[in-house]
Amino acid sequence: MGKEFIELFEEWADSYDDSVTGHDIEYKAVFLNYETILTQVAKRSFGQVLEFGPGTGNLTEKLLSYGLTVTAVEPSSSMRKIAIEKLQNRANVIDGDFMNFPESNYQTIVSTYAFHHLTDQEKSEAVASYGKLLASGGKIVFADTMYESVEAYKEAIADATEKGFHNLAEDLQREYYTTIPVLKEILETNGFSVSFEQMNDFVWIMEGAKL
């Protein structure tokens, strides 16, 4: 589940923090309002938090600043190493992925810039498992690139290509970006009420509350 991208995660590890702070022109729009996105995810979280794909630990750090207890599950050994050094043992950063994690009494499940590494079928399987894990009132709060329609997704690829952003265009076609209607159906089918808030031209926050 997303393991096919491990090599890519390893390559990104050393440059990831530069990219999210706007130093990579191709991805500047993707990471626009990055700090606000992290803050919004953290503010919507409560209790014991399970974080998927922490990368270099930026959201983890934000969650900790809100006094939350965090278990962060990261499949990339290089990303994990950076996160562990950054967080100084203030969070439990472990190997795993969206479907391989230690079960516990979590109240919130969070992720940023990672859920698109799963196919729509894998997304559905993952959310089904979270629906069984979370009690009523528990939350899923994911910030990720998603689109209002398939047409909007195709337009994003065409726009990146026209601008000469070939790495971005390649990423948009290689990874499993999906649409808001698909995600809405997945969450509602598994017992969540769901809302979406747009944070930039690429990223939306998807917040699901267990009914």
Side-chain angles (χ1 to χ4, degrees):
M1 183 159 290
K3 292 288 188 182
E4 63 267 40
F5 298 108
I6 288 292
E7 224 174 274
L8 190 61
F9 302 157
E10 295 294 311
E11 290 175 14
W12 282 348
D14 289 335
S15 62
Y16 187 76
D17 282 348
D18 279 340
S19 293
V20 301
T21 50
H23 289 89
D24 187 334
I25 186 64
E26 285 200 50
Y27 293 89
K28 190 166 186 175
V30 177
F31 292 108
L32 185 67
N33 303 322
Y34 182 69
E35 280 297 316
T36 301
I37 291 167
L38 299 189
T39 298
Q40 282 299 315
V41 173
K43 284 175 72 173
R44 297 168 192 230
S45 303
F46 73 101
Q48 189 172 340
V49 179
L50 174 63
E51 179 187 3
F52 289 115
T56 57
N58 297 326
L59 174 60
T60 321
E61 204 162 37
K62 189 71 71 175
L63 292 162
L64 292 170
S65 75
Y66 278 79
L68 300 167
T69 301
V70 185
T71 298
V73 180
E74 172 56 56
S76 163
S77 59
S78 296
M79 292 278 201
R80 263 197 326 273
K81 183 179 178 184
I82 293 170
I84 289 168
E85 289 174 358
K86 183 184 290 185
L87 298 168
Q88 297 287 303
N89 296 317
R90 290 176 293 139
N92 187 21
V93 183
I94 60 174
D95 186 15
D97 59 46
F98 280 99
M99 285 295 286
N100 297 287
F101 57 90
E103 291 196 11
S104 186
N105 185 30
Y106 302 112
Q107 282 75 51
T108 313
I109 299 174
V110 302
S111 183
T112 52
Y113 294 90
F115 204 42
H116 61 269
H117 295 116
L118 278 60
T119 65
D120 284 353
Q121 179 59 39
E122 289 172 336
K123 290 182 181 78
S124 182
E125 292 169 8
V127 171
S129 74
Y130 310 152
K132 294 171 184 173
L133 185 65
L134 293 171
S136 179
K139 283 186 176 184
I140 295 174
V141 186
F142 286 178
D144 199 17
T145 295
M146 58 187 75
Y147 296 93
E148 292 180 279
S149 65
V150 173
E151 291 72 28
Y153 171 50
K154 290 178 179 177
E155 286 172 14
I157 295 169
D159 184 60
T161 303
E162 186 179 336
K163 289 176 178 174
F165 294 167
H166 300 300
N167 290 327
L168 175 58
E170 183 182 338
D171 286 343
L172 289 174
Q173 295 172 85
R174 172 178 51 201
E175 299 170 29
Y176 307 123
Y177 297 99
T178 194
T179 64
I180 287 172
V182 168
L183 290 169
K184 185 174 186 290
E185 182 178 2
I186 287 172
L187 266 82
E188 289 181 346
T189 298
N190 288 286
F192 291 87
S193 64
V194 60
S195 63
F196 297 86
E197 181 179 355
Q198 189 167 15
M199 303 305 292
N200 61 39
D201 287 344
F202 292 83
V203 176
W204 296 66
I205 291 179
M206 176 183 78
E207 182 175 355
K210 186 74 192 311
L211 298 173

